[in-house]
Amino acid sequence: MTTVHEKVDRIEADAVNKPEQRSLYAARVKVHPKRAHGTFRTLKWWVMAITLTIYYVTPWIRWDRGPFAPHQAVLVNLADRRFYFFFVEIWPQEFYFVGGLLVMAGVGLFLITSTVGRAWCGYTCPQTVWTDLFLVVERFVEGDRNARIKLDAAPWTFNKISKRVIKIGLWLLIAMATGGAWIFYFADAPTLAQNFFTLNAPPVAYSTVAVLTGTTFIFAGFMREQVCTYMCPWPRIQSAMLDEHSLTVTYNDWRGEPRGSQRDRRTDAATTYGDCIDCNLCVAVCPQGIDIRDGQQLECITCALCIDACNSVMEKIGRPRGLISYSTLSDYTAHKAGTRDPDHWPSVIRPRTFIYIFVWGMIGVAMLVLLAVRDRLDINVLHDRNPLFVQLSDGDVRNGYTVKILNKRAEPRTFRLSVEGLKGARMFLAGSTKETSDGLTVDVKPDRLREMKVYIRMNPKDLGQRETSFRFVAVDMNGGENADKAETTAHFHAPSGRKHNGEHD
Ligand code: SF4
Ligand code: SF4
């Protein structure tokens, strides 16, 4: 089995020895990861089971939102521009919550990476999880590493073809289920499922499933480690976050070198060998096809499977576990210099850890407070620009406004729309002659915005200036003492003196 580094070494040697054959391209060497057993493998099984369950099951969780909203716990309703997450409902005007969540995710990723390294890559990244799932199928159909290498090299017999067909068929089913699950986040899942299978779903649903089926199938089935190494920007970004106190998977060469196989040790009694028996099991289990003994590498996703593999070898040969371990650079350096107890557990907590936790916590608290105090009612007013005012035949002045009232609750509500700060104002709705100075009664459907044209009429004697500032106020009439209330500032325009810019009615 050739590792990526052996491949690079070969290219470099060729470049030196045969300059005429120099090439910067190296074909991929297929990786056949062997199944690992141990603590980190078990942890990865659990993470895989939990993340996959969350992904596939979440759209099917029902949540009672009353008669006027979809009963789906997590839903991105693009048609009505609404995001539902259990008891939280986010409107487009409240997109800052989504922004806050993204900032929290970013700071969380900084926190995780600076302390436990690329834990995201090794355990929870979708590429890692789905590749692991596809590998389960591959092992089930074709066997473990040696059997797969043998099958790859074998001629195309009926046995090989049938195994490939079964494997690819199962991969396609998983890929389709993956693409299929995604669209259920964007519409009521039971309804969409029924429409999808009766070919009544919108074309975008089929195209989304097709694209996600294709990408899942190709990325997890064929490209695998190449996605992490060549396509993902994260390995490059993470180097800016790691420092000498971040955990990474480390080969403790101060303990393992000089390495030598069991046969070397029997035949070469003059050399004092380290703990590494050069069995290559750490390389065989690596899903990235690298040798951790070459040092820190961009390809390493810190999945820790090589730790499990090496620990099992150490147990067999009666040496302490941890030849490959999670370690920090400062710990590794101290161990190598012999200034640290071998059993010392590396400390990853430092000032920047607290800063990340503080920032992350503050954003979280701010969002919770905003969520608790946010209004479920909004009002927006636009003054007519042309004409700015109208002088009526009886001398009164009239201004027109477009008023929008947003009912963010899942039930119909009735609001009192009134004006404050404009003494003597009378208002009426377009199309109605019924004037009132007490305010208008406005019904708004659940989860909807109502737009209406409102006129305000004033006697110029009650106005002290050309432009008077006042407030439109909307109050939930059935809300009692703590009724939802929203207000916004507007202006009333009048002619100055005898001359004016408006029109006579
Ligand atoms: S070197 Fe070890 S930790 Fe890194 S990807 Fe390979 S198996 Fe995982
Ligand atoms: S599994 Fe351990 S002993 Fe075997 S080659 Fe890797 S580091 Fe050496």
Side-chain angles (χ1 to χ4, degrees):
M1 167 81 199
T2 313
T3 68
V4 171
H5 288 272
E6 285 165 349
K7 200 166 68 178
V8 172
D9 288 346
R10 203 176 57 226
I11 293 169
E12 286 173 352
D14 283 351
V16 173
N17 300 328
K18 305 173 195 165
E20 72 287 354
Q21 293 179 15
R22 188 179 304 169
S23 167
L24 292 177
Y25 174 76
R28 180 196 180 209
V29 177
K30 190 173 175 188
V31 181
H32 299 87
K34 182 177 170 65
R35 180 168 176 183
H37 299 269
T39 313
F40 294 106
R41 180 62 267 184
T42 306
L43 178 61
K44 274 173 69 71
W45 286 137
W46 275 104
V47 173
M48 181 177 145
I50 291 168
T51 48
L52 288 175
T53 305
I54 290 173
Y55 177 71
Y56 290 118
V57 171
T58 300
W60 298 93
I61 302 173
R62 303 290 90 193
W63 193 267
D64 185 6
R65 296 186 194 284
F68 303 103
H71 298 302
Q72 190 152 313
V74 179
L75 177 67
V76 182
N77 188 344
L78 292 177
D80 291 326
R81 293 184 293 161
R82 220 72 99 249
F83 172 50
Y84 299 96
F85 186 80
F86 294 92
F87 61 91
V88 179
E89 181 187 345
I90 307 276
W91 283 63
Q93 299 87 337
E94 298 167 326
F95 199 74
Y96 51 84
F97 281 111
V98 179
L101 279 178
L102 290 176
V103 173
M104 280 184 79
V107 175
L109 217 48
F110 275 45
L111 173 65
I112 301 270
T113 307
S114 66
T115 49
V116 292
R118 291 176 65 183
W120 163 261
C121 303
Y123 295 86
T124 44
C125 171
Q127 174 64 20
T128 299
V129 171
W130 264 270
T131 299
D132 243 10
L133 183 60
F134 274 44
L135 270 169
V136 170
V137 172
E138 191 167 281
R139 279 195 203 103
F140 175 71
V141 177
E142 297 181 348
D144 208 355
R145 176 182 158 85
N146 290 344
R148 299 205 305 276
I149 293 174
K150 215 167 136 191
L151 189 70
D152 269 2
W156 284 97
T157 58
F158 176 75
N159 177 45
K160 180 168 174 172
I161 292 170
S162 56
K163 281 185 174 171
R164 286 284 145 90
V165 168
I166 293 170
K167 178 179 82 173
I168 286 175
L170 290 173
W171 280 358
L172 269 174
L173 280 180
I174 296 172
M176 281 193 274
T178 306
W182 179 253
I183 60 171
F184 296 138
Y185 283 88
F186 296 88
D188 182 56
T191 312
L192 181 58
Q194 194 181 15
N195 291 341
F196 190 86
F197 291 113
T198 53
L199 302 182
N200 289 316
V204 69
Y206 296 102
S207 53
T208 305
V209 172
V211 168
L212 289 177
T213 300
T215 47
T216 308
F217 181 69
I218 292 167
F219 287 4
F222 299 98
M223 293 188 67
R224 295 187 177 172
E225 80 288 349
Q226 297 179 95
V227 175
C228 313
T229 307
Y230 302 118
M231 293 171 66
C232 179
W234 189 236
R236 280 91 186 160
I237 296 169
Q238 61 136 13
S239 57
M241 296 176 209
L242 297 176
D243 61 20
E244 68 275 21
H245 299 294
S246 308
L247 276 184
T248 52
V249 172
T250 308
Y251 168 63
N252 296 304
D253 57 359
W254 48 270
R255 199 188 122 182
E257 300 296 319
R259 69 187 77 161
S261 67
Q262 298 290 47
R263 198 178 55 191
D264 292 340
R265 288 160 201 259
R266 280 195 298 274
T267 55
D268 179 11
T271 306
T272 307
Y273 284 100
D275 283 347
C276 176
I277 60 167
D278 209 11
C279 63
N280 264 340
L281 193 59
C282 51
V283 181
V285 297
C286 178
Q288 299 295 100
I290 59 171
D291 187 342
I292 191 65
R293 294 173 299 170
D294 293 340
Q296 296 300 323
Q297 293 148 72
L298 178 139
E299 295 91 340
C300 177
I301 56 171
T302 66
C303 65
L305 295 182
C306 53
I307 298 181
D308 278 344
C310 193
N311 280 343
S312 70
V313 174
M314 291 299 108
E315 277 169 9
K316 271 189 207 140
I317 64 172
R319 298 295 301 154
R321 293 157 64 100
L323 175 55
I324 303 175
S325 65
Y326 268 114
S327 181
T328 65
L329 182 61
S330 71
D331 221 49
Y332 164 82
T333 312
H335 279 308
K336 196 165 184 171
T339 57
R340 188 158 293 171
D341 173 2
D343 294 329
H344 174 265
W345 182 249
S347 168
V348 294
I349 307 296
R350 51 206 188 279
R352 70 187 278 200
T353 314
F354 291 109
I355 292 171
Y356 287 146
I357 293 174
F358 178 76
V359 172
W360 191 86
M362 281 294 100
I363 299 171
V365 169
M367 284 185 31
L368 283 177
V369 171
L370 274 177
L371 212 52
V373 302
R374 69 184 175 151
D375 294 326
R376 308 313 292 140
L377 161 67
D378 206 0
I379 183 169
N380 192 286
V381 172
L382 195 65
H383 193 292
D384 284 0
R385 306 302 304 170
N386 190 19
L388 207 52
F389 58 84
V390 172
Q391 189 149 37
L392 306 175
S393 51
D394 62 0
D396 280 2
V397 180
R398 192 186 75 190
N399 280 204
Y401 304 86
T402 302
V403 178
K404 294 175 184 173
I405 295 180
L406 195 57
N407 174 15
K408 295 183 187 175
R409 291 199 189 280
E411 69 251 17
R413 290 201 283 175
T414 304
F415 299 99
R416 165 77 60 199
L417 177 68
S418 57
V419 294
E420 289 181 3
L422 200 61
K423 196 161 165 281
R426 285 153 290 150
M427 59 198 299
F428 59 98
L429 283 172
S432 164
T433 50
K434 200 176 154 199
E435 289 181 2
T436 172
S437 51
D438 294 335
L440 300 164
T441 301
V442 179
D443 293 323
V444 186
K445 289 180 183 167
D447 256 350
R448 286 287 173 270
L449 176 146
R450 178 166 173 192
E451 182 176 317
M452 68 211 100
K453 191 67 180 275
V454 174
Y455 291 107
I456 294 184
R457 179 175 180 155
M458 292 284 297
N459 186 329
K461 288 184 198 147
D462 294 330
L463 295 165
Q465 52 207 4
R466 273 183 74 183
E467 184 179 324
T468 309
S469 178
F470 69 100
R471 294 184 309 283
F472 271 102
V473 181
V475 180
D476 183 351
M477 292 176 70
N478 300 315
E481 273 186 21
N482 298 318
D484 276 351
K485 178 178 175 183
E487 59 181 53
T488 187
T489 302
H491 295 89
F492 190 91
H493 295 266
S496 56
R498 295 172 66 86
K499 286 187 175 178
H500 57 80
N501 301 320
E503 297 172 2
H504 286 284
D505 199 5

